[in-house]
């Protein structure tokens, strides 16, 4: 209130206190206090009162008889107040004191507030005159009566500041207030040390703490402040946001707040679905009726996963299979059908995210980690960069992508452990006395299950995400917090997982393609799952299923041999048959579509700078696999096309799913098409004479370049040997070997050129 520009406190507050009827408030009125402090017997006449509420006192002007000394009046009044102390309610431990004013006080209403330190300036009595600089002894004698002094600090001797000054530090602020108001403007005569013309004392409050000193200190010490701010932000984040994030992760895993898990919603949905089926004369059936044949065939795999999840040992399960083999459906819909607490982490959106912020956000979404301030990562990096340019070192304010991912996985592990310990555990259980670790080890059925889908998807671009996930999964299983199941298309998953668990053996299930019999049953079940009774009644064929009405399903046996047992291809076939196509026509369309995909993905639209294979290398495998089901791995490596970086090229083509490499005794042994339908697609491509001639011509061009380069090396070495003096006989064997290689290479080049001429004729004569 004292600092408000539109309020005069010295005038407004006394008036307000007078209007109040409260006796306590009335007793705080300055006028009331002064009347109580001055006895009626004192021989003075009060002429004016100037309250100074900002300083907690008041000036009292009075008149007296000439024969009465003011010192006598001061002594009498001080004695009265000592015998009859007046203690206001707002300051019950200090009594009212009074002193005679010797100077000429400056009554102002500036925004200057009392302080225990006074600055005493020494001014001349007349402009242009000289003023004496008072000693500490003189200042002490003048001001000690107003209160105890803590220190007297004269002006430094080397200071050029005028006028001269000194600082008085009082123990209490009220003493400084009294001294300032009584001695401001006092003229010290010569006999008291004021010099020949006297010295005027000018007093003012001096703040011990400079204004804005906190702000100035913060800005002047960035090396200390910035790391401290970073630590404070981290502490607040841990204390405030981490419990919130743990709550949201638990809700994401347990689905406690999902409407789909609400019993009332489930009942209402089932009733609406049932009524809709009755109105439309539809039979009740499940959406995945077609998968029953697949699950019957893979019943052993399902039971194996379920038994592994009940073991107390560290559970680290890997389900490997080509894309479209039904890995996720097998685990989620069958093996974990009755499991409540499941966490699915899809690595695909995390790996495909562009930039650190997008990667952090994608990882947070997968586990329900919120709130997440992914944009703060870029912002804090800019701050860290600016601080490094300012103070020369990094402040640690920003966090790397690796650190952010580690925080997300650690918070998820905390939520998983809390779920495992709270779900189903009661205080009256027989093992309630067990510690948390002992309880988790004794009850594997209580542990949540973490499913990591699309593991090693595009791992050739970056392995950071997969390394952190592998380490986190290893920590979960080692601490018995959760079971972990990896779903991957990559056959080389053991290389990545072995880094996290080098001393453990993985529980592995490899899913392949369905047998022709199971594939046929799957397609038929898919056809029968879409029966519409209204159409049956209209046609009069109520007893016949769609598969029984079709006369062309006898072609399925032949089609299954061509199409194979990949679930995605079987779904595509079933959808085409439902539209009215015959099985043979549908398979032919699938083969043509697969052939187009192979051309686009592996041959035509290939940039050798971004791929680890050339179109000629991919065409070599396509042409060889078109005539045989399996190729020898080492035989392919010995071919001229795969002379350089052969194994790396084959691994890249396997990652791209053009081929599948089968192992025997832990070593690569054979090569097969990446999908069963690809072999038919390979034959379809090889049957195109123009395409075959074009790609064979390109292959021959590459082979001619390789042989020409080899011939040039042989010729260069022969020239070097021929230049030796005396032609020593020891080089004769080397010369003959080089001549043989030179002749063999030349014959190959001539053969390649002859074949190239024939292929060019095909290209000139065919469309």
């Amino acid at each position: 209130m004292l600092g408000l520009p539109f309020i005069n406190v010295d005038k407004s507050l006394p008036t307000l206190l007078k209007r109040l009827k409260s006796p306590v408030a009335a007793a705080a009125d300055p006028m009331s206090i002064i009347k109580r402090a001055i006895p009626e017997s004192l021989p003075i006449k009060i002429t004016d009162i100037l309250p100074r509420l900002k300083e907690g006192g008041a000036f009292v002007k009075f008149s007296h008889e000439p024969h009465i000394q003011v010192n006598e009046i001061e002594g009498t009044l001080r004695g009265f107040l000592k015998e009859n102390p007046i203690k206001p309610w707002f300051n019950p431990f200090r009594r009212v004191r009074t002193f005679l004013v010797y100077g000429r006080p400056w009554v102002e209403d500036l925004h200057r507030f009392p302080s225990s330190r006074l600055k005493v300036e020494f001014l001349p009595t007349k402009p242009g005159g000289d003023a004496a600089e008072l000693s500490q002894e003189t200042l002490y004698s003048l001001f000690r009566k107003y209160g105890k002094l803590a220190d007297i600090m004269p002006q430094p001797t080397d200071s050029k500041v005028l006028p001269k000054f000194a600082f008085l530090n009082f123990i209490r602020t009220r003493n400084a207030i009294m001294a300032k108001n009584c001695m401001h403007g006092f003229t010290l005569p010569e006999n008291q040390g004021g010099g020949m013309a006297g010295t005027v004392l000018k007093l003012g409050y001096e703040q011990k703490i400079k204004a804005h000193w906190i702000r100035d200190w913060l800005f002047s010490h960035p090396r200390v402040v910035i790391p401290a701010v970073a630590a404070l932000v981290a502490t607040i984040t841990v204390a405030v946001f981490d419990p919130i994030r743990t709550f949201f992760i638990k809700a994401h895993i347990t689905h406690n707040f999902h409407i789909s898990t609400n019993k009332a919603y489930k009942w209402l949905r089932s009733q609406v679905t049932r009524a809709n089926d009755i109105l439309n004369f539809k039979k009740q059936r499940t959406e995945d009726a077609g998968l029953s044949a697949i699950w019957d065939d893979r019943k052993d795999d399902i039971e194996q996963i379920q038994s592994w999840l009940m073991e107390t040992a560290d559970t680290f399960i890997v389900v490997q299979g080509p894309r479209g083999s039904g890995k996720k459906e097998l685990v989620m819909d069958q093996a974990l059908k009755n499991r409540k607490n499941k966490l699915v982490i899809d690595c695909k959106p995390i790996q495909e995210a562009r930039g650190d912020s997008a990667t952090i956000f994608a990882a947070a979404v997968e586990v329900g980690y919120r709130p997440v301030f992914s944009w703060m990562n870029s912002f804090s990096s800019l701050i860290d960069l600016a601080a490094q340019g300012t103070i020369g070192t990094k402040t640690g304010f920003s966090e790397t992508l690796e650190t952010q991912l580690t925080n997300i996985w650690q918070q998820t592990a905390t939520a998983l452990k809390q779920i495992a310990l709270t779900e189903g555990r009661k205080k009256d259980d027989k093992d309630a006395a067990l510690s948390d670790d002992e309880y988790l080890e004794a009850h594997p059925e209580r542990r949540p299950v973490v499913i990591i889908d699309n593991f090693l998807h595009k791992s050739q671009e970056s392995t950071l995400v997969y390394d952190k996930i592998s380490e986190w999964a290893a920590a979960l299983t080692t601490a018995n917090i959760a079971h972990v199941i990896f779903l991957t298309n990559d056959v080389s998953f053991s290389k990545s997982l072995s880094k996290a668990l080098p001393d453990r053996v993985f529980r592995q299930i490899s899913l392949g393609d369905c047998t022709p019999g199971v594939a046929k049953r799957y397609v038929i079940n898919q056809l029968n799952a879409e029966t519409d009774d209204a159409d049956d009644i209209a046609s009069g064929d109520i007893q016949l299923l769609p598969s029984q009405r079709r006369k062309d399903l006898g072609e399925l046996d032949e089609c299954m041999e061509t199409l194979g047992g990949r679930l995605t291809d079987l779904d595509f076939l079933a959808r085409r048959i439902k539209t009215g196509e015959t099985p043979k026509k549908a398979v032919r369309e699938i083969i043509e579509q697969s052939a187009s995909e192979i051309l686009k993905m592996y041959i035509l639209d290939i940039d050798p700078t971004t791929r680890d294979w050339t179109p000629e290398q991919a065409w070599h495998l396509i042409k060889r696999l078109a005539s045989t089901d399996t190729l020898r791995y080492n035989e392919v490596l010995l071919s001229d096309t795969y002379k350089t970086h052969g194994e790396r090229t084959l691994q890249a083509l396997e990652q791209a799913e053009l081929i599948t490499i089968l192992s025997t005794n832990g070593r690569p042994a054979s090569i097969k098409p990446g999908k069963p339908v690809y072999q038919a697609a390979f034959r379809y491509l090889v049957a195109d004479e123009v395409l075959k001639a074009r790609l064979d011509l390109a292959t021959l061009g590459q082979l001619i370049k390789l042989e020409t380069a080899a011939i040039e090396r042989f010729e260069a070495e022969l020239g070097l040997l021929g230049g030796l003096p005396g032609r020593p006989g020891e080089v004769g064997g080397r010369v003959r070997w080089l001549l043989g290689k030179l002749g063999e290479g030349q014959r190959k080049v001539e053969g390649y050129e002859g074949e190239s001429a024939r292929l060019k004729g095909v290209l000139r004569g065919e469309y």
Side-chain angles (χ1 to χ4, degrees), residues 355-658:
D356 292 352
S357 298
T359 302
I360 294 168
F361 181 78
V365 169
E366 291 300 316
V367 299
Y369 180 93
R370 61 174 66 90
V372 55
F373 308 109
S374 56
W375 54 271
M376 281 295 293
N377 193 54
S378 301
F379 181 71
S380 58
S381 298
L382 293 176
I383 295 178
D384 206 5
L385 183 62
Q388 185 178 7
T390 303
I391 64 179
T393 59
K394 288 188 176 181
T395 62
F397 190 75
S398 63
E399 294 183 337
T400 62
L401 174 62
E402 181 178 358
T403 305
Q404 294 274 19
L405 291 177
T406 301
N407 293 338
I408 293 175
W409 303 139
Q410 287 179 349
Q411 204 66 35
T412 306
T414 302
L416 289 168
K417 186 173 184 179
Q418 292 180 7
I419 292 173
L421 293 173
T422 56
E423 291 287 331
R425 190 179 186 183
K426 299 179 181 178
K427 295 182 179 180
D428 55 352
D429 290 342
K430 61 180 181 180
D431 53 2
L434 295 177
S435 64
D436 292 346
D437 295 337
E438 293 173 344
Y439 180 84
L440 292 175
E441 185 176 0
H443 292 276
E445 74 280 359
R446 301 290 189 190
R447 305 175 203 165
V449 182
V450 179
I451 301 95
I452 301 176
D453 194 14
N454 288 315
F455 185 66
L456 297 181
H457 172 75
K458 292 186 177 181
S459 58
Q460 65 276 8
E461 296 181 1
S462 174
T463 60
L464 173 62
V465 173
Y466 298 118
D467 290 342
K468 302 310 295 182
I469 290 179
S470 301
E471 294 172 2
W472 173 67
L476 291 180
T477 56
T478 304
N480 294 318
I481 294 176
H483 305 289
V484 180
I485 301 177
F486 286 93
L487 309 180
T488 180
N489 306 333
D490 199 325
V491 295
S492 61
F493 62 87
S494 59
K495 296 180 182 179
S496 177
L497 296 181
S498 296
K499 298 178 183 178
L501 284 176
D503 57 342
R504 302 297 171 90
V505 178
F506 308 131
R507 309 291 180 82
Q508 178 182 352
I509 290 180
S510 297
L511 297 182
D513 297 320
C514 303
T515 61
V518 174
K520 180 179 178 180
R521 287 169 51 200
Y522 176 79
V523 174
I524 292 175
N525 288 344
Q526 289 284 3
L527 295 176
N528 293 335
E530 298 296 330
T531 306
D532 194 324
D533 290 348
D535 296 339
D536 293 342
I537 295 172
S539 61
D541 297 332
I542 301 179
Q543 303 299 327
L544 297 179
L545 296 173
S547 61
Q548 296 172 336
R549 299 193 212 112
R550 298 288 296 255
K551 305 300 182 183
D552 52 7
L553 293 186
E555 302 174 358
L556 282 178
D557 292 329
E558 181 181 352
C559 293
M560 291 300 104
E561 296 293 338
T562 303
L563 190 62
R566 192 66 54 89
L567 290 183
T568 51
D569 295 334
L570 296 177
D571 286 332
F572 194 20
L573 174 63
R575 287 195 296 269
R576 282 189 167 275
I577 294 176
K578 290 175 187 177
T579 60
E581 293 184 4
T582 63
K584 285 188 176 181
K585 182 181 179 182
V587 170
R588 186 166 60 252
E589 294 288 342
I590 294 173
I591 292 173
E592 292 177 359
Q593 182 176 345
S594 299
S596 299
E597 292 177 355
I598 292 171
L599 283 177
K600 182 177 181 181
M601 295 174 59
Y602 306 105
I603 297 179
L604 297 182
D605 298 339
I606 294 300
D607 183 4
T609 60
T610 59
R611 302 287 187 177
D612 290 331
W613 70 85
T614 62
E616 292 77 17
Q617 290 173 323
W619 175 249
H620 176 81
L621 292 176
I622 291 172
K623 190 169 63 172
R624 294 285 303 277
L625 288 171
S627 58
T628 182
D629 295 341
T630 306
L631 296 177
R632 297 181 183 86
Y633 182 83
N634 294 315
E635 181 184 0
V636 174
L637 292 180
L638 292 175
S639 62
D640 294 335
T641 310
Y642 284 85
K643 279 185 177 180
T644 57
H645 307 296
E647 288 199 89
R648 187 178 69 182
T649 301
L650 291 176
Q651 291 174 1
L653 289 171
E654 184 187 25
Q655 292 286 344
E657 300 184 358
L658 178 67

Side-chain angles (χ1 to χ4, degrees), residues 714 717-718 731-744:
F714 299 147
E717 188 174 353
L718 285 172
V731 301
R734 182 64 178 177
V735 171
R736 287 190 297 271
W737 182 85
L738 290 172
L739 290 174
K741 285 293 184 181
L742 188 63
E744 181 183 353

